[in-house]
Amino acid sequence: MIQIIDLHKSFGSNKVLQGVSLDVKKGETLVIIGQSGSGKSVLIKHLIGLIKPDKGKIIVDGIDITQLREDELYKARRKFGMIFQSAALFDSMTVAQNVSFGLERYSKMSQKEIRKRVAESLAMVGLRGIENLLPHELSGGMKKRVGLARAISYGPEIILYDEPSTGIDPIRADAINELIIRMKKEINVTSIVITHDMVSSYKVADRIAMLYQGKIIETGTPEAIKKSNNQIVQQFIHGSAEGPIENW
Amino acid sequence: MRYQKVPLLFYDFFQGMGEVGLLFSRTIKNIFKKPLEKDIFLQQVEEIGVRSLPVVSMTAAFGGLVFGLQTYIGFHRYVGPGSEAYGGPIISLGLSKELIPLLVGLMVSGRVGSAIAAEIGTMKITEQIDALFSLGADPNKYLVVPRMVAAFLVLPCLTLYGDVIGMIGGFFYNVVVMGVNKVIYIKNTLLYFELWDITTGLIKAAIFGIVIAIIGCWQGLKAEGGAAGVGRATTRAVVIANIMILILNFFLSKALPASLGG
């Protein structure tokens, strides 16, 4: 469904991605792990065209999105839903306005249908009766869930999760993990999760890929990753300060 | 090092001009594209227009009073006692062509330009702009178009309102405070003051509106580096817009005909 081919991206002299290649199959949950600052967010932002690569291709359902014109890119983005690290809710809008943002603009649904879809999307992430609250009235975990409700409300085929468990307590983080699994089961979406939280990774992943020094150095099922012979992977998944990874 | 700084300043200047030009042309292209963001446009009309009324009232009133005062002194000193009543058209012309559009532009730039840069800058650093992209919405269409159109339409309205307040201020100082002959003052004003004088000020105000909104949005969209970055963007938005308003004011005064009467 998604093919990333030899992706390169630099910011000034900082080479962030140096030939990333990766395949994501339809309906699978791929977790990309890596150190903070390793370029995971940069990689995920390439997928929806927020960042243009210096070199390389991103093929989504047979279309190279790096070659799309801007208006085509806006349409292509509607295939994706993205959950941001900071939730990125529009802080001047209520929860309902946030969740209905995509529907209001790009669907032909009536106001009644939109209200129903908003309530359904919120219910799916375990939130009810908060439609009229503003983002600053929500906890960190609730914000992430509203972000997810916003992303699923218009029925995307692919959901991108940017550090979904960062900044929330372990119980709420696990609730988010459960939601990621539920989204896959109930609406059969393809998911790409970027994180450095190994507990989450093992729980939600069909496959895990590790990004290190601008390249994918290992890909495999959670079990295969646990048994990897790569010392860098082993150091990272065990969270050890001792090992071949020196820049931390 | 000194030799490097000068070309860098030029580079920054031309890069900035290019970015503003691109943002402006993109905004113009997006104005008639659907969906029309009516709600945000109306919010901006309220924010830029209605909420600027108190500050415009104050500046226009005191601008009119002080302009009336100086005109009175000028006529009294150089033409002679009794001639002050001929100051009416000069006060009206000076206020409507220069002082009020400029004051309104600078005040709205300080109040609204900074708010636009701060709001959009905060959205940028909290990934809300990325969220707009991810939802298939063009931030230019959603954020820049309503602000620019609202500022373009509202600034002339504020200026017209300011013209009335300012002229009342000038009239009040001369006629009520200094006892100038009311009939001659009004008669001369009506005789020599043209509708074109007001129109000139309104054209300027509309252009100042575009400048304020585009510079505020440009700086907001460029903001990076957390709260400090938003602070810098806010300051730059006001400083750049104010300088541009002052420079443009001169060139517009020069370019627009002084009178349509020939």
Side-chain angles (χ1 to χ4, degrees):
Chain A
M1 183 170 205
I2 303 173
Q3 274 182 292
I4 302 167
I5 305 164
D6 194 28
L7 204 67
H8 289 254
K9 182 69 188 179
S10 299
F11 296 100
S13 60
N14 183 17
K15 292 178 180 172
V16 181
L17 303 179
Q18 301 182 58
V20 171
S21 293
L22 202 56
D23 285 351
V24 187
K25 298 182 194 92
K26 191 171 172 61
E28 83 166 333
T29 300
L30 175 78
V31 174
I32 301 171
I33 57 171
Q35 290 170 276
S36 299
S38 61
K40 303 187 297 295
S41 293
V42 171
L43 174 59
I44 211 171
K45 284 179 180 175
H46 274 90
L47 296 179
I48 49 172
L50 289 179
I51 301 176
K52 287 259 178 206
D54 298 333
K55 189 185 156 195
K57 291 179 181 177
I58 298 167
I59 316 282
V60 180
D61 288 337
I63 297 165
D64 183 359
I65 63 160
T66 63
Q67 300 300 317
L68 293 181
R69 288 199 320 267
E70 207 154 338
D71 52 334
E72 293 170 330
L73 197 54
Y74 281 113
K75 280 180 194 157
R77 282 186 185 127
R78 290 173 208 160
K79 251 184 199 179
F80 291 86
M82 183 157 175
I83 290 88
F84 290 85
Q85 194 171 343
S86 59
L89 300 181
F90 304 125
D91 46 22
S92 59
M93 295 183 193
T94 63
V95 167
Q97 286 168 330
N98 264 283
V99 177
S100 65
F101 188 91
L103 297 170
E104 294 266 9
R105 281 160 183 80
Y106 308 110
S107 77
K108 287 176 182 165
M109 294 168 102
S110 66
Q111 283 302 313
K112 196 179 165 190
E113 287 169 325
I114 288 174
R115 276 197 298 275
K116 194 175 164 221
R117 176 69 70 84
V118 167
E120 282 169 2
S121 302
L122 287 170
M124 202 172 259
V125 298
L127 296 170
R128 282 185 178 82
I130 62 158
E131 281 87 341
N132 295 322
L133 294 184
L134 286 163
H136 72 263
E137 296 172 292
L138 306 174
S139 70
M142 285 168 91
K143 281 182 190 170
K144 294 228 174 185
R145 284 191 280 168
V146 172
L148 180 55
R150 181 175 69 182
I152 61 172
S153 65
Y154 55 93
E157 295 166 40
I158 305 155
I159 302 185
L160 309 174
Y161 298 85
D162 186 358
E163 307 273 9
S165 56
T166 300
I168 51 176
D169 67 60
I171 296 167
R172 289 200 169 93
D174 194 53
I176 297 283
N177 294 337
E178 293 289 346
L179 277 173
I180 296 173
I181 296 165
R182 257 184 75 194
M183 292 305 124
K184 185 189 166 181
K185 281 185 187 160
E186 290 182 13
I187 51 177
N188 195 33
V189 288
T190 305
S191 304
I192 300 176
V193 182
I194 61 170
T195 185
H196 41 60
D197 176 353
M198 290 315 299
V199 177
S200 293
S201 303
Y202 294 142
K203 183 157 187 173
V204 303
D206 293 320
R207 282 192 306 142
I208 297 175
M210 179 156 174
L211 183 64
Y212 180 70
Q213 291 187 338
K215 288 184 176 163
I216 298 292
I217 57 163
E218 186 94 19
T219 312
T221 62
E223 285 310 309
I225 290 289
K226 280 180 194 168
K227 291 175 189 161
S228 169
N229 292 325
N230 190 321
Q231 292 303 303
I232 294 167
V233 175
Q234 284 300 323
Q235 184 189 350
F236 184 82
I237 64 175
H238 290 106
S240 169
E242 301 276 320
I245 303 174
E246 287 170 351
N247 297 327
W248 46 267
Chain B
M1 287 297 281
R2 270 188 83 172
Y3 296 108
Q4 282 177 344
K5 277 186 181 170
V6 175
L8 264 180
L9 271 175
F10 274 103
Y11 175 79
D12 285 349
F13 174 76
F14 286 112
Q15 189 188 9
M17 293 287 280
E19 286 172 2
V20 171
L22 281 174
L23 182 66
F24 178 66
S25 67
R26 239 186 105 123
T27 310
I28 294 289
K29 275 186 211 160
N30 274 332
I31 285 177
F32 300 104
K33 276 191 193 167
K34 285 189 174 178
L36 300 172
E37 302 289 354
K38 275 182 284 183
D39 291 348
I40 302 168
F41 168 73
L42 291 175
Q43 271 173 22
Q44 290 305 315
V45 168
E46 186 190 347
E47 184 57 44
I48 301 169
V50 179
R51 295 194 180 174
S52 293
L53 282 174
V55 75
V56 169
S57 304
M58 288 294 287
T59 45
F62 282 93
L65 282 168
V66 81
F67 202 61
L69 181 153
Q70 296 298 355
T71 312
Y72 178 90
I73 292 171
F75 270 91
H76 187 79
R77 190 185 296 171
Y78 300 114
V79 185
S83 66
E84 301 90 348
Y86 295 97
I90 294 173
I91 293 168
S92 303
L93 182 135
L95 286 174
S96 61
K97 283 184 109 164
E98 299 295 338
L99 198 62
I100 298 296
L102 203 57
L103 283 176
V104 168
L106 295 176
M107 293 318 260
V108 173
S109 164
R111 210 190 74 78
V112 175
S114 58
I116 290 175
E119 188 182 359
I120 296 181
T122 305
M123 288 183 76
K124 170 91 185 298
I125 63 162
T126 55
E127 296 184 298
Q128 291 177 54
I129 304 278
D130 285 348
L132 282 173
F133 275 120
S134 77
L135 290 163
D138 180 352
N140 180 283
K141 175 101 194 77
Y142 182 73
L143 296 171
V144 186
V145 169
R147 282 164 177 78
M148 196 187 85
V149 175
F152 173 75
L153 296 175
V154 162
L155 264 274
C157 299
L158 286 173
T159 301
L160 191 61
Y161 168 76
D163 286 345
V164 174
I165 300 284
M167 284 179 210
I168 291 172
F171 175 86
F172 179 83
Y173 183 82
N174 278 275
V175 174
V176 179
V177 179
M178 302 309 291
V180 165
N181 187 309
K182 182 169 70 179
V183 177
I184 300 175
Y185 186 98
I186 294 173
K187 201 176 147 195
N188 272 311
T189 302
L190 293 175
L191 191 62
Y192 296 109
F193 185 60
E194 297 174 11
L195 189 61
W196 176 245
D197 299 328
I198 288 183
T199 313
T200 310
L202 302 187
I203 293 170
K204 283 181 176 181
I207 294 168
F208 296 163
I210 292 174
V211 168
I212 293 164
I214 282 289
I215 300 290
C217 292
W218 170 56
Q219 282 298 320
L221 290 167
K222 262 172 77 94
E224 54 189 14
V230 176
R232 279 193 296 274
T234 307
T235 308
R236 275 202 296 259
V238 177
V239 172
I240 296 170
N242 283 357
I243 290 171
M244 283 189 72
I245 286 170
L246 289 165
I247 294 171
L248 276 172
N249 184 53
F250 170 76
F251 287 106
L252 286 168
S253 297
K254 195 85 181 127
L256 292 165
S259 168
L260 286 186

